Amino acid sequence: MIETYQRQFDAFAANGGREGPSWLPGLRRAAMDQFTRVGFPTARDEEWRFTPVGPIAQADFQAATPASVDRDALTPFLFGHAEWPQLVFVNGKLAPELSWVPALPPGVRVASLAAALQSVPALVEPHLSRYARSDTTAFTALNTALMRDGAFVYVPAHTSLELPIHLLFVTTAGSTGAAHPRNLIVVERGARASVVESYVGLGDDSAYFTNAVTEVYSGEDAWTEHTRLQREGGRAYHVGLTQVDQARGSHYRSFTLAMGGAISRHNLHVQLSAPGIETLMYGLYLARGDQVVDNHTAIFHDHPNCNSWEVYKGVLDDRARAVFNGKVLVKPEAQKTDAKQTNRNLLLSDTAKVDTKPQLEIFADDVKCTHGATVGFLDPGAQFYLQSRGVPAAAARRLLTYAFAAEVVNEVALEPVRLELDRLVLERLGQ
């Protein structure tokens, strides 16, 4: 349904799409031209051959319509800390009445991207669409063309934020539209920040489409922690891209959870753009029923003396299907690279399926690079041991599954978020 999005773009360009700095309409137009030229990916595209894009490409999703949400409905998603700075977006649009931005250190900005484009375009222009370019994926091009709102987080040099910033994207029950949130997170030289990015659906009764793009810039010697949680409605479609650019000596730590949606795909690409960088990437995906969850990661080692560590785990039940594709690319000049990648999958039924493809492309000779992938069932010996100690069979099964997932959940540095994820895993396992 490319024509549907072309009509939406034309209507947007005629009403609101020209607002903002002078360079923005041209950026949107070029992105739309890119999308109409390449169209949605198909199974013939290597990067998308395991992702069933058809239900998204063939659906006639209109722009999501504004809606209101009761504040109490958000309580389960706030980690017990409503005092954290938070921006709440409902059906893709900022809800000021639900958002909360307290006094912050001088120079820090936490605002909607739409407002930032009006008030501080000089802070936005050097970064917006410079990392997540329109030629990255067709979905990125579509997002760039139709982006109306999203979050803008700017932390100036040598500034440390004591509280994490929470970006909460809510889709209301009954929504059948498409939203294209665009987020820009900039952590300047020597600064420290933690950002939690949540996508939640308030109902499982309708199919909607979230097409999200987040760009992260971690400046020289900066420390950035980024947690991304996807808990969309059961019939939703979710496609996301997180594009990270790291400067010299910076530290980027991410955790990604995917447990919602009928079909979900997340691309996490990290560019190591200078020496002395450290990148830590952890992920957990939980799927059941007929869910399809796809994680594609890529770490680009372009310079020497950089370290990356990646661990993704999946738990699948019923007829669920997961895809993991992890790529580590080491250029010839990236000597002294230390890169480790692990993907482990636990199948709880005979009909669950995983397609895992770890990739190492190494063009340097003085490196330490390892990767590994496993797909299997619970260890019968471990189950027997627990049962021999008086643990019922069902409880032993849940205990072992929880232990498998908890290993990666424990890597979440923010304790309130870690405890909530712990609860979600236990809830999913029926405990």
Side-chain angles (χ1 to χ4, degrees):
M1 291 293 181
I2 295 177
E3 299 80 7
T4 295
Y5 297 107
Q6 182 65 64
R7 289 193 297 270
Q8 292 180 25
F9 177 80
D10 292 340
F12 179 42
N15 183 22
R18 291 191 297 268
E19 297 178 358
S22 59
W23 49 266
L24 188 57
L27 177 68
R28 287 190 170 119
R29 168 55 66 182
M32 194 65 207
D33 291 344
Q34 170 74 10
F35 173 71
T36 55
R37 182 166 57 252
V38 302
F40 286 107
T42 68
R44 291 188 297 271
D45 296 294
E46 178 63 24
E47 289 292 307
W48 294 85
R49 66 191 183 100
F50 292 122
T51 311
V53 176
I56 301 174
Q58 297 166 15
D60 187 19
F61 287 111
Q62 302 300 315
T65 56
S68 59
V69 172
D70 187 89
R71 184 180 296 274
D72 292 339
L74 303 182
T75 301
F77 310 109
L78 301 183
F79 310 105
H81 286 269
E83 76 280 4
W84 287 357
Q86 60 187 13
L87 297 179
V88 179
F89 299 82
V90 179
N91 292 356
K93 183 177 176 57
L94 179 71
E97 70 280 5
L98 300 175
S99 303
W100 160 251
V101 181
L104 296 170
V108 175
R109 293 183 178 272
V110 178
S112 73
L113 182 62
L117 285 167
Q118 296 284 348
S119 60
V120 286
L123 294 180
V124 177
E125 184 180 10
H127 303 284
L128 186 65
S129 201
R130 301 300 172 92
Y131 316 118
R133 300 185 305 273
S134 295
D135 60 358
T136 305
T137 71
F139 290 98
T140 305
L142 182 61
N143 175 281
T144 304
L146 296 177
M147 59 180 177
R148 293 173 180 262
D149 212 346
F152 176 63
V153 177
Y154 178 81
V155 185
H158 307 296
T159 301
S160 296
L161 296 184
E162 294 183 3
L163 296 176
I165 297 168
H166 189 197
L167 313 177
L168 178 58
F169 296 86
V170 180
T171 301
T172 56
S175 176
T176 57
H180 307 272
R182 184 61 168 256
N183 307 309
L184 177 58
I185 301 168
V186 179
V187 184
E188 295 283 16
R189 176 195 297 248
R192 297 175 64 91
S194 180
V195 178
V196 181
E197 181 182 345
S198 299
Y199 296 88
V200 302
L202 298 184
D204 287 331
D205 58 336
S206 58
Y208 61 88
F209 176 35
T210 300
N211 177 30
V213 173
T214 298
E215 296 178 277
V216 180
Y217 173 73
S218 190
E220 187 172 332
D221 296 321
W223 186 94
T224 307
E225 181 180 346
H226 185 202
T227 306
R228 188 185 196 274
L229 311 178
Q230 185 272 106
R231 292 185 276 173
E232 301 276 19
R235 296 183 58 199
Y237 304 112
H238 181 101
V239 177
L241 167 67
T242 301
Q243 186 81 39
V244 184
D245 189 89
Q246 290 187 252
R248 179 186 294 269
S250 63
H251 174 96
Y252 175 76
R253 182 187 184 102
S254 77
F255 179 88
T256 301
L257 171 73
M259 62 181 297
I263 299 174
S264 66
R265 159 90 176 229
H266 180 231
N267 282 33
L268 173 56
H269 298 169
V270 183
Q271 191 82 37
L272 280 59
S273 301
I277 291 173
E278 183 174 61
T279 304
L280 305 175
M281 295 161 47
Y282 301 96
L284 175 66
Y285 42 97
L286 308 172
R288 61 187 178 185
D290 294 301
Q291 283 183 292
V292 177
V293 55
D294 186 340
N295 282 281
H296 270 59
T297 68
I299 305 175
F300 300 95
H301 283 265
D302 293 350
H303 296 270
N305 298 300
C306 293
N307 302 328
S308 66
W309 176 276
E310 178 180 9
V311 180
Y312 270 64
K313 286 190 168 189
V315 180
L316 289 88
D317 204 351
D318 303 322
R319 299 162 304 283
R321 180 181 175 188
V323 181
F324 175 83
N325 192 113
K327 179 187 294 185
V328 177
L329 176 62
V330 182
K331 287 189 174 181
E333 57 270 30
Q335 304 293 342
K336 304 295 184 182
T337 288
D338 188 350
K340 297 179 178 65
Q341 180 192 92
T342 302
N343 175 233
R344 295 173 182 162
N345 298 275
L346 178 60
L347 305 182
L348 301 181
S349 76
D350 293 335
T351 51
K353 181 180 178 180
V354 176
D355 294 291
T356 178
K357 184 184 177 184
Q359 294 177 259
L360 293 182
E361 298 183 22
I362 305 170
F363 299 95
D365 53 13
D366 187 7
V367 301
K368 291 191 296 183
C369 295
T370 63
H371 69 171
T374 61
V375 180
F377 298 95
L378 289 173
D379 181 4
Q383 295 184 70
F384 175 78
Y385 175 82
L386 290 175
Q387 289 180 248
S388 70
R389 295 300 185 269
V391 179
R397 181 181 174 89
R398 289 194 298 267
L399 182 61
L400 291 171
T401 305
Y402 167 75
F404 175 84
E407 183 181 359
V408 68
V409 171
N410 288 337
E411 297 296 338
V412 178
L414 286 171
E415 183 179 10
V417 178
R418 186 172 65 250
L419 293 175
E420 174 63 11
L421 294 181
D422 208 53
R423 186 194 67 79
L424 289 174
V425 172
L426 289 171
E427 183 180 77
R428 174 60 66 94
L429 298 178
Q431 291 184 231

